[in-house]
Amino acid sequence: MFGKLLRLCLVIIFCSVFQVTLKAQNVMPGVRQNPAAVTKFFAQLQRIFGKFSQADLQEVFQAADRISCTELVRGKGDWKPVAFFNDNRALGSWYHHSLEEVKGDLRQYSFSGACRDARSPIQVTTRFPVLESIDSFNNRDIRFEQIDLNLNPPVDAVYDSRLQSYSFDLPYMFLRDYRDGMRFYSLSPEKISERDKYQRDVTDHWDCKSVREKDVTYQFLICRVTVAYVASLRRGSRRVPFGAAAYSILSDGKEASADVRYSFDDSPQTPPQQ
């Protein structure tokens, strides 16, 4: 049986970003996973988390490698958040410790499109849980699979040659609170009836690159996430001061150079044909 979901979401403070994650405990697995592959994946994630926790995140992002179009869209093109950091360490950091935690995190970023070359423009579709629906699950009014998800229209993801990243904007921000001169935003709507009431003057900007570390064989993205006024983006302003960026680590759960295929969903995985 699924455990209780913590009623937490992506919360964004303007000019500072704070992210915590949905977690599910005692998640019932679907298709049996390869235990060695699961252990290997989380060992690599822990290694990345430990290294990045002690590093200058802006330098980590700048040093990260470019990601190709085909790497983003291969398979289903589904990527899930597995770790989080902020320039301002007082805002916290986390990483998933188990497959159950990953499956209990209902956020998803799905890349799709035709890759004519390594830098072809593609699209990304995002989904986020509705917090009211999570409350219903926690109250045992609905089952886990009945949690309502807000599926956002796809946006363009284009290659930024200056940053050597794939970049996109998510104009799907919800104002959660305003206090002490700060605005608190979320990508998860509070109520089902408010799921289309986006804040039109702000956007969530993502720049994603590939994490390539020694002995890391699974695919990870490091995405720098910043909140900006739409008007400032139209003027071409993308300066990111220290403390204004969050860094989300995404993974598609696949190993880059092995026959093993480890998946976050419940679909059977088969080795590629040689």
Side-chain angles (χ1 to χ4, degrees), residues 76-140:
K76 294 181 179 179
D78 294 340
W79 296 71
K80 292 178 70 70
V82 294
F84 168 83
F85 306 89
N86 193 283
D87 274 336
N88 184 349
R89 300 309 170 94
L91 295 178
S93 59
W94 57 263
Y95 73 97
H96 285 314
H97 293 75
S98 68
L99 180 58
E100 287 74 20
E101 288 185 1
V102 174
K103 287 188 175 184
D105 193 326
L106 298 175
R107 295 167 294 171
Q108 185 168 283
Y109 304 79
S110 300
F111 295 88
S112 62
C115 297
R116 291 180 293 275
D117 56 51
R119 304 180 181 182
S120 294
I122 51 179
Q123 290 192 315
V124 57
T125 302
T126 53
R127 75 176 194 193
F128 296 90
V130 179
L131 301 182
E132 179 182 47
S133 187
I134 293 174
D135 286 342
S136 296
F137 168 76
N138 286 336
N139 293 331
R140 301 191 178 189

Side-chain angles (χ1 to χ4, degrees), residues 21-25 35 37-47 49-50 53 81-84 93-105 220 262 264:
T21 182
L22 289 165
K23 295 181 181 179
Q25 298 174 355
V38 174
T39 300
K40 184 178 180 181
F41 173 86
F42 285 101
Q44 293 184 11
L45 174 59
Q46 184 179 27
R47 188 180 310 134
F49 183 84
S53 294
V82 294
F84 168 83
S93 59
W94 57 263
Y95 73 97
H96 285 314
H97 293 75
S98 68
L99 180 58
E100 287 74 20
E101 288 185 1
V102 174
K103 287 188 175 184
D105 193 326
F220 295 96
Y262 164 46
F264 293 147

Side-chain angles (χ1 to χ4, degrees), residues 7 24 32 68 72 85 104 112 118 120-121 127 136 162 166 186 192 213 221 225 231 241-242 246 248 250 258 263 267:
R7 193 183 184 278
R32 182 178 177 83
S68 71
L72 283 173
F85 306 89
S112 62
S120 294
R127 75 176 194 193
S136 296
R162 180 179 63 87
Y166 262 92
S186 171
I192 295 174
E213 298 282 333
L221 294 179
V225 188
F242 178 79
S248 186
L250 308 182
S263 175
S267 302

